[in-house]
Amino acid sequence: MAKIQKVAELAGVSTATVSRALSGKSSVSPATRARVEAAAKQLGYVVSAAASSLASGRTRNVGVVLPYLDSWFFMAVLKGAQRTLTDAGYDVTLYHLAPADGLEMDSDVAHRRARLFDEFLRRQRVDALIAVNLELDDHERAALADLSRPVVGLGGPIPGLHTLSLDDTGVARLATDHLVSLGHRHIAHITGDPDFERDFQMPATRRAGYEAALANAGIEADPLLVRGANFTIEGGYEATLQLLGDPRVHPTAIFAASDEMAIGALLAARDLGRSVPADLSVIGIDGHDLADFFGLTTIDQFPEAQGRHVAQMIVDELTGNKPDAIDEDLPYELVVRRTTARLA
């Protein structure tokens, strides 16, 4: 492997400048950094991670905390974040804070979460942390402050940090308003079951937006039209079977709190002989990769772009551009396809 001296000679700079440029220091101009990177690539020079860490106190590693690993949405966020971090020369360490499952108790979850902040992060193996859908308490924020590591949150406001949040109430109102505008008044809602009412209370917030839109349209909310599921296709399928099989209610439209549950609703309606959208309109939230295939009307919240955005904020902060501690709204957009139509 080429030596750092050869890279310095080819780029026309000192070895110290090569070291600063390849370690991401903000004191190096973009033109000089590009020249050094081109020389290093030409000579096949790769910075020793161990040597760089000892010299700079940095690991070139960013931690990402996720609540679920089997969710399309969170994997899309991770995909966007990982690409941006890799392009900037950072490795990714994944921390999984799953909810209680099976025989586990909530105390097991609390123990894993405490170990993350009191043990794992104190090992100094990451330069920064991206907290996805993680509502930090006072102790956890204090633990991160003690580490003096940049932290950016995605999913909801965290006091003292720069965070990126989706207006879940606004998103749900837009989805419900779309159905109301098409003449629907018997609108069902598939929400998250109680296990998902954790950080930031997203299911409850989206249900509140749904009910607010109904109230604004002069429609009384019916609890029998609300069913819980687990944000999967299977969960949405089962919830819709129960909903459409209940003789007490006759929904003409379904608003599902995720695209995967909406896809499950489409499949259940098909199996019950209901035509979509002639008999039943369906709308979801997310912008799932399969939404176009199913012709699903959705509120796209651009999860992969969310991951890229939060990762770029971390990269910027690590290179000296610290953002203000504010809660920044994420964009979303109504995408109308074939699963919603005017009530006949």
Side-chain angles (χ1 to χ4, degrees):
M1 187 173 65
K3 301 293 186 182
I4 191 171
Q5 289 86 355
K6 295 293 186 181
V7 177
E9 291 172 6
L10 182 59
V13 298
S14 67
T15 55
T17 298
V18 171
S19 178
R20 289 196 299 271
L22 297 182
S23 63
K25 297 289 186 181
S26 59
S27 57
V28 180
S29 71
T32 300
R33 188 188 313 281
R35 196 162 70 248
V36 170
E37 290 175 347
K41 183 176 181 180
Q42 180 178 333
L43 295 172
Y45 177 75
V46 178
V47 178
S48 165
S52 177
S53 179
L54 286 172
S56 66
R58 290 190 173 184
T59 64
R60 302 292 295 179
N61 197 340
V62 172
V64 179
V65 185
L66 289 176
Y68 302 98
L69 297 182
D70 56 354
S71 161
W72 171 86
F73 174 81
F74 289 111
M75 288 301 97
V77 170
L78 179 61
K79 179 181 178 182
Q82 190 271 337
R83 284 184 174 178
T84 296
L85 292 169
T86 298
D87 289 346
Y90 290 90
D91 293 321
V92 175
T93 295
L94 181 63
Y95 297 100
H96 181 209
L97 286 182
D101 184 30
L103 298 177
E104 287 189 318
M105 305 294 289
D106 287 339
S107 59
D108 298 318
V109 178
H111 177 65
R112 283 199 301 269
R113 184 160 174 158
R115 288 191 69 193
L116 171 64
F117 291 94
D118 297 336
E119 181 180 340
F120 296 135
L121 295 181
R122 292 187 182 278
R123 292 175 181 171
Q124 305 289 323
R125 290 181 178 174
V126 296
D127 292 334
L129 186 71
I130 295 173
V132 181
N133 206 47
L134 191 67
E135 192 171 8
L136 304 177
D137 61 26
D138 292 342
H139 171 74
E140 291 165 346
R141 292 198 304 273
L144 291 173
D146 289 343
L147 296 175
S148 299
R149 293 289 191 267
V151 182
V152 176
L154 177 64
I158 303 174
L161 296 179
H162 194 116
T163 52
L164 305 174
S165 302
L166 185 72
D167 179 3
D168 285 303
T169 301
V171 167
R173 290 192 66 152
L174 178 58
T176 309
D177 283 342
H178 171 65
L179 297 172
V180 170
S181 73
L182 295 174
H184 296 279
R185 296 186 66 81
H186 300 283
I187 302 170
H189 179 45
I190 301 178
T191 183
D193 59 35
D195 289 342
F196 289 85
E197 292 292 359
R198 298 174 68 231
D199 297 60
F200 302 118
Q201 304 289 302
M202 181 269 283
T205 304
R206 289 187 180 176
R207 179 174 177 175
Y210 153 78
E211 292 176 345
L214 293 181
N216 188 61
I219 302 171
E220 184 177 353
D222 183 352
L224 290 176
L225 285 172
V226 178
R227 304 296 165 112
N230 62 354
F231 284 89
T232 66
I233 293 175
E234 295 82 0
Y237 180 90
E238 181 60 30
T240 303
L241 285 183
Q242 301 307 314
L243 176 69
L244 298 182
D246 190 335
R248 297 170 296 176
V249 292
H250 304 282
T252 63
I254 293 176
F255 158 43
S258 78
D259 280 352
E260 289 188 79
M261 293 195 295
I263 291 170
L266 295 176
L267 298 175
R270 179 200 64 185
D271 288 352
L272 290 174
R274 302 289 184 93
S275 175
V276 176
D279 300 328
L280 184 74
S281 285
V282 178
I283 186 172
I285 292 176
D286 278 339
H288 197 288
D289 288 343
L290 292 174
D292 188 47
F293 175 80
F294 282 97
L296 177 65
T297 296
T298 185
I299 309 296
D300 195 343
Q301 60 169 310
F302 314 106
E304 192 170 333
Q306 288 185 23
R308 291 196 301 269
H309 189 171
V310 72
Q312 188 58 55
M313 289 172 60
I314 282 290
V315 171
D316 291 345
E317 187 164 354
L318 287 170
T319 54
N321 299 310
K322 182 176 176 58
D324 294 329
I326 61 170
D327 184 38
E328 181 180 339
D329 288 334
L330 290 164
Y332 56 89
E333 178 180 291
L334 171 65
V335 181
V336 180
R337 296 191 179 96
R338 301 187 306 274
T339 62
T340 55
R342 183 165 293 280
L343 184 64

